[in-house]
Structures are given as structure tokens and as C-alpha cells.
């Protein structure tokens, strides 16, 4: 299965994640995590790492025992 989407100037991040993420966190909540973390992080070179860490920790907090993998790509 694959999906295509045309990016525009409002797209700032690409999230590639396993079902261990998507099964526990809603799309809107992931978007909120991204923007909250992005706004709090003063070092742009580590913001994607911080977002990944926060998403993984949140899944652990929900009790996920599934495969949890996530990549966050900042579009510049």
C-alpha cells in the first residue's frame, strides 16, 4: 500500500511511523506534539530528534507493546 500527496508551502514536516505510533496517537495529536515541540526547542538541528523521542515516550505511556518506530523529516 502506498499513498501520494503533493506537498505545498504549508507542509513543514513528514512523519513516517509504524502502527505502534498510529494505533495510539491520533493524527491531530501528533500534529500538536510536533508544533509544541518545535516551538519549545531552540535548537533547530535537534528538533526532529526531540519530536521522535516525545512520540515514542507517549506511546510507552499509553502502554503500547507494539513495534514503535518513527522518523520525522523537517522540510526546509
Amino acid at each position: 500500500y502506498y499513498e501520494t500527496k503533493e506537498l505545498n508551502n504549508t507542509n513543514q514536516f513528514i512523519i513516517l511511523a509504524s502502527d505502534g505510533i498510529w494505533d495510539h496517537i491520533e493524527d491531530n495529536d501528533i500534529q500538536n506534539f510536533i508544533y509544541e515541540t518545535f516551538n519549545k526547542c531552540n535548537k533547530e538541528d535537534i528538533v526532529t530528534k526531540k519530536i521522535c523521542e516525545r512520540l515514542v515516550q507517549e506511546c510507552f505511556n499509553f502502554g503500547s507493546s507494539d513495534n514503535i518506530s518513527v522518523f520525522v523529516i523537517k522540510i526546509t
Side-chain angles (χ1 to χ4, degrees):
Y1 172 78
Y2 70 92
E3 183 177 333
T4 61
K5 180 178 176 163
E6 187 173 324
L7 300 177
N8 58 46
N9 61 353
T10 63
N11 299 116
Q12 295 179 341
F13 294 92
I14 296 172
I15 308 297
L16 177 62
S18 66
D19 63 339
I21 297 285
W22 299 117
D23 288 349
H24 293 280
I25 305 176
E26 297 292 324
D27 294 358
N28 289 341
D29 293 332
I30 289 177
Q31 183 176 348
N32 291 338
F33 279 119
I34 289 170
Y35 289 110
E36 285 172 14
T37 306
F38 183 74
N39 290 330
K40 289 179 184 177
C41 188
N42 58 1
K43 295 184 179 180
E44 192 165 319
D45 59 330
I46 64 167
V47 70
T48 55
K49 179 182 179 203
K50 295 286 186 188
I51 293 167
C52 289
E53 289 171 349
R54 188 168 178 210
L55 289 172
V56 168
Q57 186 59 52
E58 192 67 19
C59 287
F60 284 135
N61 293 345
F62 282 129
S64 176
S65 60
D66 198 355
N67 175 6
I68 299 173
S69 301
V70 62
F71 293 91
V72 177
I73 302 161
K74 184 176 182 319
I75 300 172
T76 56

